[in-house]
Amino acid sequence: DVQGTLLDFFKPVSTAVGHYVTAHEIADVDAAEFTRSWRENYFQRVRSIPQSIDQWRPVQAEYQAGFLDVCAHYRLPAPDHAAAAAVAASWQLLEPWPDVRAGMARIREEAMTAALSNTDMSTAIALFMRTDIGMDAIFTAELFGAFKPDPRVYLGALDYLGVRPQEAAMVASHPYDLEAADSLGLGTIFVSRPLEYGDPALAHEMAAGSVTQYVRAIGEID
């Protein structure tokens, strides 16, 4: 997984939100809470919008539309198209967690690695180019016309790689991702990211016994 697992979205996005509310002299809006609401809006959209390979609606467009939704939720003036696009662009500027580059390099010495994200292909490719994270393959939901946790996404990626489920493991910081992968016969590796939402009390958690491996850094994966 990419957003949250390999890359920190909270810091760059909440920073962009903070700049927006400051520039527009908006008081009483907490950038961290706004960012968390925006992320939840994204999950709601992913669960509800119909998608197909032939008629794919870019995820970046959903982030931009979601920004309008969250502004309305906080009773903020509706931003114009350019302003919404500028803040939404922060979702294309995510940063690697400190353990990722070295951890991925170590894993690639012994295994094939592939990114599997719900974001757009163009965004995923740009992220990996900009962050200089080595990856053998990049797959996104756009290729399959469906979002994780739809089985088509996981199985489609495995087909492209020529790998059977029992020969692979899904690595993620989100329970829904690992539960879906487990149901298809993949191994499961949970990566603890206490600051994914900026507050350890809000981080996802899984019992160590419920996954194949529980790690706190990519470099710990066996």
Side-chain angles (χ1 to χ4, degrees), residues 40-59:
E40 179 55 34
N41 179 277
Y42 155 79
F43 279 120
Q44 292 172 1
R45 287 175 170 274
V46 163
R47 288 192 291 265
S48 63
I49 61 173
Q51 291 282 45
S52 69
I53 293 175
D54 295 332
Q55 296 181 319
W56 182 258
R57 179 176 168 84
V59 175

Side-chain angles (χ1 to χ4, degrees), residues 17-213:
V17 171
H19 289 161
Y20 176 81
V21 298
T22 299
H24 290 78
E25 300 180 342
I26 298 170
D28 301 325
V29 173
D30 182 87
E33 289 295 337
F34 188 105
T35 300
R36 289 189 278 265
S37 295
W38 197 359
R39 179 68 165 170
E40 179 55 34
N41 179 277
Y42 155 79
F43 279 120
Q44 292 172 1
R45 287 175 170 274
V46 163
R47 288 192 291 265
S48 63
I49 61 173
Q51 291 282 45
S52 69
I53 293 175
D54 295 332
Q55 296 181 319
W56 182 258
R57 179 176 168 84
V59 175
Q60 193 59 31
E62 296 301 329
Y63 275 126
Q64 187 171 327
F67 182 69
L68 300 177
D69 288 347
V70 182
C71 282
H73 172 76
Y74 281 92
R75 302 180 184 276
L76 304 182
D80 60 28
H81 177 84
V87 183
S90 60
W91 289 97
Q92 298 173 308
L93 301 173
L94 312 189
E95 295 293 338
W97 295 109
D99 58 280
V100 169
R101 287 195 184 94
M104 288 301 302
R106 187 189 70 78
I107 292 172
R108 291 184 73 206
E109 293 176 356
E110 301 179 12
M112 182 191 307
T113 61
L116 186 61
S117 176
N118 274 342
T119 195
D120 304 306
M121 279 298 296
S122 60
T123 295
I125 292 169
L127 282 169
F128 282 99
M129 290 180 63
R130 184 176 59 80
T131 58
D132 194 30
I133 298 172
M135 194 69 67
D136 296 314
I138 298 173
F139 302 115
T140 73
E142 184 177 3
L143 290 174
F144 311 107
F147 290 114
K148 296 184 296 179
D150 190 301
R152 289 173 291 177
V153 182
Y154 306 92
L155 297 178
L158 292 176
D159 284 343
Y160 274 120
L161 296 172
V163 174
R164 295 175 297 172
Q166 59 267 34
E167 297 174 314
M170 184 68 200
V171 181
S173 59
H174 310 121
Y176 82 89
D177 222 349
L178 298 179
E179 289 165 359
D182 178 68
S183 71
L184 298 171
L186 285 81
T188 53
I189 300 174
F190 178 74
V191 184
S192 176
R193 295 297 188 198
L195 296 179
E196 180 176 358
Y197 296 97
D199 182 346
L202 302 175
H204 295 290
E205 191 55 83
M206 294 187 77
S210 68
V211 291
T212 308
Q213 246 191 297

